[in-house]
Amino acid sequence: MKEKQMGIENIQKKEELEETLCLQNERYNLIKEINQEFVKLFHQGSDVDDSLNHTLERIGKQYALRFVAVLEYGGEKKERTWTNCWSLEKGILTDSGLKHGCSPQLLLPENGTYGQPYCQGREGLFRGSEECSLLFCGREETGEWTDFEKETLQELARMISFLVALRNHKKEEQRQIMDLKRRDPLTGLYMGEAFKSKVKEELKNWREDRDYAIIYTDINDFSYINDNFGYAAGNAILKAFADLIRESENKISCRLYSDLFVTFFWDTDRDTILQKIVNTSLAFSKRQKEIYPSCNIRLTTGIYFMEEKDENLAIAIENANLTRKSIKGNASAFCRVYESKMRIRREEEKQVLAEFQGTLKEGGFQVYVQPKFYLSGFEISGGEALVRWRKKDGRIESPSLFIPILERSGYVVELDFYVYEQVLAYMQSWLEAGKEPPVISVNFSRSHFEREGIYRRIMSLTKAYRIEPRYIEIEITESLFATGYELVKAEMKQLREAGFRVAIDDFGTGYSSLGMLLDIPADIVKIDRSFLNRENHENEKEFIQHMGKLIESVKEEVIFEGIETEEQREFLVDCGFRFGQGFLFDPPMPIQVFQEKYMK
Ligand code: C2E
Ligand code: MG
Ligand code: MG
């Protein structure tokens, strides 16, 4: 009897064992199958995330679940986020679906620790790893979970967490590759677009107790370095600057192109930021001086402090750039902080540039002429063409408001030739009417010499209007010679050889010496009006007299600009000077008025 009883128990145990083995086999097969499906999807080229989502779907269908979701514990604060989800109702949810409130609304236990599944009714949360859990919710009709099912789901949670780790690893790898692609190969700094997106990310961490700056830097006379020391030297300097930036903390930097660098920089306060910028700038110049003792390699830096986190980054960068440009050519300044009036100026500049072409076509630029006089007899000796902008509302705008802007953009080249053609056309009509025209001078901006020069175009226009060059005077500002322009000198020489008269305008405002004047091929020197303003001082009078005489000894003609009073005229006549221009004689007037008054 006892033996029989034992036999039955053994059979029962055997059956139980077989059943367990069978179930375990089933679980093993299921996991294997799911795994294989994942690998297959993955090898077919699906994205890891995609394969993961399909795996969730597969589990959901297998267990008749309402949804399956992955919960990750990521970031510094170990925040819990839904990263993947499949639901019977909505299918696979994308990132945005998850972010926009479609995530499973379940009460999550705080103590869902690894290896201890939380399972209540048909809901469950299984921790697959330290970083990841699998959450599921079953359908009511499938009844209570068996222990075996729970164990299988726990196994699946482990498998899923492995897949999640793989997905995250891949993402990180891709991020690093992307990061490399977004960097400038020479300096290793970010390139423009990558820089902007990095800064936008960082701006999300904006803190009120910090100050944030956009710093726009370039290396002075970089093309000079390339031309004289070669590209390898230029590259080494760019790298050296990038290395120097890298040494500082709290920054994101980029090389836009060539020698233009932009850095987003933050620190406790503005003074600290400024101090660091100055230190970097000085350290850079010092290091370069050791390598190139004969050069002063310096940085020019424009700084813009951001006011708020949502500020338009492109405008902030432009503001810093504007500030940098505002100190270009200023030998004593190497960095400056943006002021709002720079933006107003910038807006005005944009307006001028936007309206320029239209105004030129519609004849909105008007040629005025200011007569030049013999100082002694109030007799006209010639005239100077000066441009005016007639605005739509009838206002007449002075060239000081738009010529500098047009010079910076290069548009002034077109304007100068427009003025020149107008003068030629009037001269032609005077000649055709049998009148002897006075010599008229035309101003040619420095911008011409940054391009191809003026000689050829002046020659062909003058020929086209059949005007003899002796009626034309070309005015070129003295400041052009401060840095020794060989091209300008060569062009002036050609013009003179062709019969034009060439004048150096605004003499005394640049830094050219009398010695230099000897070297400049010009017939006329126009002494800037700022000289006459100093004439009240006795020794200044003497200086003007001596300087004028010295110039007269080397050049054919000296003209004093800006004569406003009879006293000034008498003084110049007493000194023996012959020519002048100024409001005392006549102000600039429309060329038609000049014609009526002086060409009768
Ligand atoms: P600039 O060539 O030295 O011209 C002389 C300037 O002095 C003119 O100013 C003239 O109106 C002004 N002026 C003449 N007499 C007196 C006087 O007695 N007192 C005072 N205070 N000023 C006097 P404007 O016409 O405003 O022109 C300013 C500058 O703009 C010119 O200086 C020239 O550099 C530039 N400019 C004018 N027209 C042109 C042009 O067509 N092309 C280029 N590139 N520059 C031009
Ligand atoms: Mg002039
Ligand atoms: Mg002048």
Side-chain angles (χ1 to χ4, degrees), residues 370 384-388 398-400 403 407 412 415-416 419 442-445 475 505-506 526 528-529 561-564 581-584 586 588:
Q370 183 177 33
E384 175 178 9
L386 294 159
V387 72
R388 297 287 180 270
S398 135
S400 56
I403 291 280
E407 278 186 337
V412 76
L415 183 61
D416 285 350
V419 171
V442 180
N443 292 280
F444 280 89
S445 148
E475 290 194 21
D505 200 2
D506 306 328
K526 298 185 78 180
D528 191 71
R529 70 165 185 270
E561 297 186 297
I563 303 171
E564 291 180 354
Q581 187 180 346
F583 295 164
L584 174 71
D586 238 337

Short mmCIF file of all heavy atoms in Angstrom, two decimals, residues 370 384-388 398-400 403 407 412 415-416 419 442-445 475 505-506 526 528-529 561-564 581-584 586 588, ligand 1:
data_model
loop_
_atom_site.label_atom_id
_atom_site.label_comp_id
_atom_site.label_asym_id
_atom_site.label_seq_id
_atom_site.Cartn_x
_atom_site.Cartn_y
_atom_site.Cartn_z
N GLN A 370 30.69 122.22 -56.22
CA GLN A 370 31.14 123.38 -55.43
C GLN A 370 32.28 124.04 -56.20
O GLN A 370 33.29 123.39 -56.50
CB GLN A 370 31.63 122.96 -54.04
CG GLN A 370 32.01 124.18 -53.22
CD GLN A 370 32.44 123.85 -51.80
OE1 GLN A 370 33.04 122.80 -51.57
NE2 GLN A 370 32.16 124.74 -50.87
N GLU A 384 34.23 121.18 -57.88
CA GLU A 384 34.32 119.80 -57.38
C GLU A 384 32.94 119.18 -57.40
O GLU A 384 31.98 119.77 -56.87
CB GLU A 384 34.89 119.77 -55.95
CG GLU A 384 34.88 118.35 -55.37
CD GLU A 384 35.48 118.24 -53.97
OE1 GLU A 384 35.75 119.28 -53.34
OE2 GLU A 384 35.66 117.10 -53.52
N ALA A 385 32.83 118.00 -57.99
CA ALA A 385 31.54 117.31 -58.01
C ALA A 385 31.35 116.59 -56.68
O ALA A 385 32.23 115.87 -56.23
CB ALA A 385 31.51 116.31 -59.15
N LEU A 386 30.20 116.82 -56.06
CA LEU A 386 29.89 116.20 -54.76
C LEU A 386 28.48 115.63 -54.86
O LEU A 386 27.57 116.29 -55.34
CB LEU A 386 29.95 117.25 -53.65
CG LEU A 386 31.35 117.83 -53.39
CD1 LEU A 386 31.24 119.16 -52.67
CD2 LEU A 386 32.22 116.86 -52.60
N VAL A 387 28.33 114.41 -54.39
CA VAL A 387 27.03 113.76 -54.59
C VAL A 387 26.07 114.07 -53.44
O VAL A 387 26.49 114.33 -52.32
CB VAL A 387 27.25 112.24 -54.76
CG1 VAL A 387 27.63 111.59 -53.45
CG2 VAL A 387 26.02 111.58 -55.35
N ARG A 388 24.77 114.05 -53.76
CA ARG A 388 23.72 114.19 -52.75
C ARG A 388 22.66 113.13 -53.03
O ARG A 388 22.45 112.73 -54.17
CB ARG A 388 23.03 115.57 -52.85
CG ARG A 388 23.94 116.75 -52.57
CD ARG A 388 24.26 116.86 -51.08
NE ARG A 388 25.13 117.99 -50.77
CZ ARG A 388 26.46 117.93 -50.76
NH1 ARG A 388 27.09 116.82 -51.09
NH2 ARG A 388 27.17 119.00 -50.43
N SER A 398 23.24 114.36 -46.98
CA SER A 398 24.67 114.64 -47.19
C SER A 398 25.48 113.33 -47.36
O SER A 398 25.14 112.31 -46.76
CB SER A 398 25.16 115.44 -45.99
OG SER A 398 26.38 114.95 -45.55
N PRO A 399 26.54 113.36 -48.15
CA PRO A 399 27.29 112.12 -48.42
C PRO A 399 27.92 111.49 -47.19
O PRO A 399 28.15 110.29 -47.17
CB PRO A 399 28.37 112.57 -49.41
CG PRO A 399 28.38 114.05 -49.38
CD PRO A 399 27.06 114.51 -48.90
N SER A 400 28.15 112.29 -46.15
CA SER A 400 28.78 111.69 -44.96
C SER A 400 27.86 110.63 -44.35
O SER A 400 28.31 109.76 -43.62
CB SER A 400 29.11 112.77 -43.93
OG SER A 400 27.92 113.46 -43.63
N ILE A 403 28.14 107.67 -47.83
CA ILE A 403 29.39 107.26 -48.51
C ILE A 403 30.18 106.23 -47.67
O ILE A 403 30.59 105.19 -48.21
CB ILE A 403 30.28 108.48 -48.85
CG1 ILE A 403 29.63 109.32 -49.95
CG2 ILE A 403 31.70 108.06 -49.24
CD1 ILE A 403 29.80 108.84 -51.37
N GLU A 407 31.06 102.60 -48.99
CA GLU A 407 32.47 102.21 -49.11
C GLU A 407 32.68 100.83 -48.52
O GLU A 407 33.36 99.99 -49.10
CB GLU A 407 33.37 103.23 -48.39
CG GLU A 407 33.65 104.44 -49.25
CD GLU A 407 34.65 105.40 -48.63
OE1 GLU A 407 34.81 105.40 -47.40
OE2 GLU A 407 35.24 106.18 -49.40
N VAL A 412 30.07 101.92 -53.51
CA VAL A 412 30.50 103.28 -53.84
C VAL A 412 31.17 103.34 -55.21
O VAL A 412 31.13 104.36 -55.89
CB VAL A 412 31.44 103.81 -52.73
CG1 VAL A 412 32.82 103.22 -52.83
CG2 VAL A 412 31.50 105.33 -52.75
N LEU A 415 28.60 104.24 -57.62
CA LEU A 415 28.16 105.61 -57.42
C LEU A 415 29.19 106.60 -57.98
O LEU A 415 28.84 107.57 -58.66
CB LEU A 415 27.93 105.88 -55.93
CG LEU A 415 27.39 107.27 -55.61
CD1 LEU A 415 26.04 107.50 -56.27
CD2 LEU A 415 27.26 107.48 -54.11
N ASP A 416 30.46 106.36 -57.72
CA ASP A 416 31.51 107.27 -58.20
C ASP A 416 31.48 107.36 -59.72
O ASP A 416 31.61 108.44 -60.30
CB ASP A 416 32.89 106.80 -57.73
CG ASP A 416 33.12 107.10 -56.26
OD1 ASP A 416 32.29 107.82 -55.67
OD2 ASP A 416 34.11 106.60 -55.70
N VAL A 419 28.51 109.44 -60.86
CA VAL A 419 28.80 110.88 -60.73
C VAL A 419 29.73 111.30 -61.87
O VAL A 419 29.51 112.32 -62.52
CB VAL A 419 29.45 111.18 -59.35
CG1 VAL A 419 29.95 112.62 -59.28
CG2 VAL A 419 28.45 110.91 -58.23
N VAL A 442 36.44 115.03 -59.47
CA VAL A 442 35.52 113.98 -59.03
C VAL A 442 36.23 113.15 -57.97
O VAL A 442 37.41 112.83 -58.10
CB VAL A 442 35.10 113.09 -60.24
CG1 VAL A 442 34.13 112.01 -59.79
CG2 VAL A 442 34.48 113.94 -61.33
N ASN A 443 35.49 112.83 -56.90
CA ASN A 443 36.07 112.04 -55.81
C ASN A 443 36.01 110.54 -56.14
O ASN A 443 34.95 110.03 -56.50
CB ASN A 443 35.30 112.28 -54.52
CG ASN A 443 35.49 113.70 -54.00
OD1 ASN A 443 36.51 114.00 -53.39
ND2 ASN A 443 34.54 114.57 -54.29
N PHE A 444 37.12 109.86 -55.98
CA PHE A 444 37.12 108.40 -56.15
C PHE A 444 37.54 107.76 -54.83
O PHE A 444 38.59 108.07 -54.29
CB PHE A 444 38.04 107.99 -57.31
CG PHE A 444 37.37 108.17 -58.64
CD1 PHE A 444 37.46 109.37 -59.32
CD2 PHE A 444 36.61 107.15 -59.19
CE1 PHE A 444 36.81 109.56 -60.53
CE2 PHE A 444 35.95 107.33 -60.41
CZ PHE A 444 36.05 108.53 -61.08
N SER A 445 36.65 106.89 -54.37
CA SER A 445 36.83 106.31 -53.04
C SER A 445 37.97 105.29 -52.99
O SER A 445 38.40 104.75 -54.00
CB SER A 445 35.53 105.62 -52.66
OG SER A 445 35.77 104.53 -51.87
N GLU A 475 40.19 113.16 -57.55
CA GLU A 475 40.56 113.36 -56.13
C GLU A 475 40.62 112.01 -55.42
O GLU A 475 39.68 111.22 -55.48
CB GLU A 475 39.52 114.25 -55.43
CG GLU A 475 39.57 115.69 -55.88
CD GLU A 475 38.78 116.61 -54.95
OE1 GLU A 475 38.54 116.25 -53.78
OE2 GLU A 475 38.41 117.71 -55.41
N ASP A 505 43.27 114.48 -51.69
CA ASP A 505 42.21 115.17 -50.96
C ASP A 505 42.43 115.07 -49.45
O ASP A 505 43.08 114.13 -48.97
CB ASP A 505 40.88 114.48 -51.33
CG ASP A 505 39.68 115.35 -51.05
OD1 ASP A 505 39.87 116.50 -50.59
OD2 ASP A 505 38.55 114.88 -51.29
N ASP A 506 41.89 116.02 -48.72
CA ASP A 506 41.88 116.00 -47.25
C ASP A 506 43.28 115.84 -46.66
O ASP A 506 43.46 115.12 -45.67
CB ASP A 506 40.98 114.87 -46.71
CG ASP A 506 39.58 114.95 -47.29
OD1 ASP A 506 39.14 116.07 -47.56
OD2 ASP A 506 38.97 113.89 -47.48
N LYS A 526 45.03 119.09 -51.67
CA LYS A 526 43.93 119.85 -51.04
C LYS A 526 44.11 119.75 -49.53
O LYS A 526 44.06 118.65 -48.96
CB LYS A 526 42.57 119.28 -51.46
CG LYS A 526 42.33 119.37 -52.97
CD LYS A 526 40.95 118.91 -53.33
CE LYS A 526 39.92 119.98 -53.03
NZ LYS A 526 38.57 119.53 -53.41
N ASP A 528 43.09 119.89 -45.86
CA ASP A 528 41.81 119.68 -45.19
C ASP A 528 41.38 120.91 -44.38
O ASP A 528 42.21 121.63 -43.82
CB ASP A 528 41.90 118.46 -44.27
CG ASP A 528 40.54 118.05 -43.78
OD1 ASP A 528 39.76 117.54 -44.60
OD2 ASP A 528 40.24 118.29 -42.58
N ARG A 529 40.06 121.08 -44.28
CA ARG A 529 39.55 122.29 -43.63
C ARG A 529 39.85 122.33 -42.13
O ARG A 529 39.83 123.40 -41.51
CB ARG A 529 38.06 122.48 -43.89
CG ARG A 529 37.16 121.50 -43.22
CD ARG A 529 35.74 122.03 -43.26
NE ARG A 529 34.85 121.17 -42.52
CZ ARG A 529 34.21 120.15 -43.07
NH1 ARG A 529 34.36 119.90 -44.35
NH2 ARG A 529 33.42 119.41 -42.34
N GLU A 561 40.77 123.94 -48.30
CA GLU A 561 39.34 123.61 -48.23
C GLU A 561 38.70 124.30 -47.03
O GLU A 561 39.37 124.59 -46.04
CB GLU A 561 39.16 122.10 -48.03
CG GLU A 561 39.69 121.25 -49.17
CD GLU A 561 39.33 119.78 -48.96
OE1 GLU A 561 39.79 119.16 -47.98
OE2 GLU A 561 38.59 119.25 -49.80
N GLY A 562 37.41 124.54 -47.14
CA GLY A 562 36.63 125.02 -45.98
C GLY A 562 36.90 126.45 -45.57
O GLY A 562 36.93 126.75 -44.37
N ILE A 563 37.08 127.34 -46.54
CA ILE A 563 37.27 128.75 -46.18
C ILE A 563 35.89 129.36 -45.92
O ILE A 563 35.03 129.37 -46.80
CB ILE A 563 37.99 129.52 -47.32
CG1 ILE A 563 39.32 128.83 -47.61
CG2 ILE A 563 38.19 130.98 -46.95
CD1 ILE A 563 40.02 129.35 -48.85
N GLU A 564 35.71 129.83 -44.70
CA GLU A 564 34.37 130.32 -44.33
C GLU A 564 34.35 131.81 -44.04
O GLU A 564 33.29 132.43 -44.07
CB GLU A 564 33.87 129.55 -43.10
CG GLU A 564 33.55 128.10 -43.43
CD GLU A 564 33.03 127.31 -42.25
OE1 GLU A 564 33.03 127.84 -41.12
OE2 GLU A 564 32.66 126.15 -42.45
N GLN A 581 38.52 126.89 -51.55
CA GLN A 581 37.16 126.37 -51.76
C GLN A 581 36.46 126.56 -50.42
O GLN A 581 37.08 126.31 -49.38
CB GLN A 581 37.30 124.88 -52.10
CG GLN A 581 36.06 124.16 -52.50
CD GLN A 581 36.39 122.68 -52.80
OE1 GLN A 581 37.56 122.30 -52.95
NE2 GLN A 581 35.37 121.86 -52.90
N GLY A 582 35.25 127.01 -50.40
CA GLY A 582 34.59 127.16 -49.10
C GLY A 582 33.31 127.95 -49.19
O GLY A 582 33.02 128.58 -50.21
N PHE A 583 32.54 127.93 -48.10
CA PHE A 583 31.24 128.58 -48.08
C PHE A 583 31.35 130.10 -48.29
O PHE A 583 30.40 130.73 -48.71
CB PHE A 583 30.53 128.29 -46.75
CG PHE A 583 30.17 126.83 -46.58
CD1 PHE A 583 29.82 126.33 -45.32
CD2 PHE A 583 30.16 125.96 -47.66
CE1 PHE A 583 29.48 124.99 -45.16
CE2 PHE A 583 29.83 124.62 -47.51
CZ PHE A 583 29.49 124.13 -46.25
N LEU A 584 32.52 130.66 -47.98
CA LEU A 584 32.70 132.10 -48.19
C LEU A 584 32.47 132.45 -49.66
O LEU A 584 31.89 133.49 -49.99
CB LEU A 584 34.12 132.52 -47.77
CG LEU A 584 34.50 133.96 -48.05
CD1 LEU A 584 33.74 134.92 -47.13
CD2 LEU A 584 36.00 134.21 -47.90
N ASP A 586 31.23 130.00 -52.27
CA ASP A 586 29.97 129.38 -52.69
C ASP A 586 29.87 127.99 -52.08
O ASP A 586 30.88 127.27 -52.00
CB ASP A 586 29.93 129.25 -54.23
CG ASP A 586 28.72 129.97 -54.81
OD1 ASP A 586 27.75 130.17 -54.05
OD2 ASP A 586 28.78 130.33 -55.98
N PRO A 588 28.30 123.97 -52.19
CA PRO A 588 27.98 123.06 -53.29
C PRO A 588 26.55 123.34 -53.77
O PRO A 588 25.68 123.65 -52.95
CB PRO A 588 28.07 121.67 -52.66
CG PRO A 588 28.88 121.85 -51.43
CD PRO A 588 28.62 123.23 -50.94
P1 C2E B 1 35.51 116.37 -49.70
O1 C2E B 1 35.84 115.69 -50.98
O2 C2E B 1 36.64 116.85 -48.88
O3 C2E B 1 34.52 117.53 -50.05
C1 C2E B 1 34.52 118.75 -49.42
C2 C2E B 1 33.47 118.78 -48.38
O4 C2E B 1 33.61 119.97 -47.62
C3 C2E B 1 32.07 118.83 -48.96
O5 C2E B 1 31.23 118.15 -48.09
C4 C2E B 1 31.73 120.29 -48.90
O6 C2E B 1 30.36 120.56 -48.84
C5 C2E B 1 32.39 120.67 -47.61
N1 C2E B 1 32.69 122.07 -47.56
C6 C2E B 1 33.04 122.88 -48.58
N2 C2E B 1 33.25 124.12 -48.13
C7 C2E B 1 33.05 124.12 -46.80
C8 C2E B 1 33.13 125.10 -45.77
O7 C2E B 1 33.43 126.25 -45.97
N3 C2E B 1 32.86 124.72 -44.51
C9 C2E B 1 32.52 123.45 -44.22
N4 C2E B 1 32.26 123.14 -42.96
N5 C2E B 1 32.44 122.48 -45.17
C10 C2E B 1 32.70 122.82 -46.43
P2 C2E B 1 30.19 117.14 -48.59
O8 C2E B 1 29.67 117.50 -49.91
O9 C2E B 1 29.27 116.88 -47.47
O10 C2E B 1 31.08 115.86 -48.83
C11 C2E B 1 31.71 115.22 -47.80
C12 C2E B 1 32.65 114.21 -48.29
O11 C2E B 1 31.96 113.15 -48.90
C13 C2E B 1 33.59 114.73 -49.37
O12 C2E B 1 34.64 115.41 -48.78
C14 C2E B 1 34.01 113.44 -50.02
O13 C2E B 1 35.04 112.84 -49.28
C15 C2E B 1 32.78 112.62 -49.92
N6 C2E B 1 32.07 112.66 -51.20
C16 C2E B 1 31.20 113.55 -51.67
N7 C2E B 1 30.77 113.21 -52.89
C17 C2E B 1 31.42 112.05 -53.21
C18 C2E B 1 31.40 111.19 -54.35
O14 C2E B 1 30.74 111.38 -55.37
N8 C2E B 1 32.20 110.08 -54.28
C19 C2E B 1 32.97 109.82 -53.19
N9 C2E B 1 33.71 108.70 -53.20
N10 C2E B 1 33.00 110.61 -52.14
C20 C2E B 1 32.23 111.72 -52.14
#
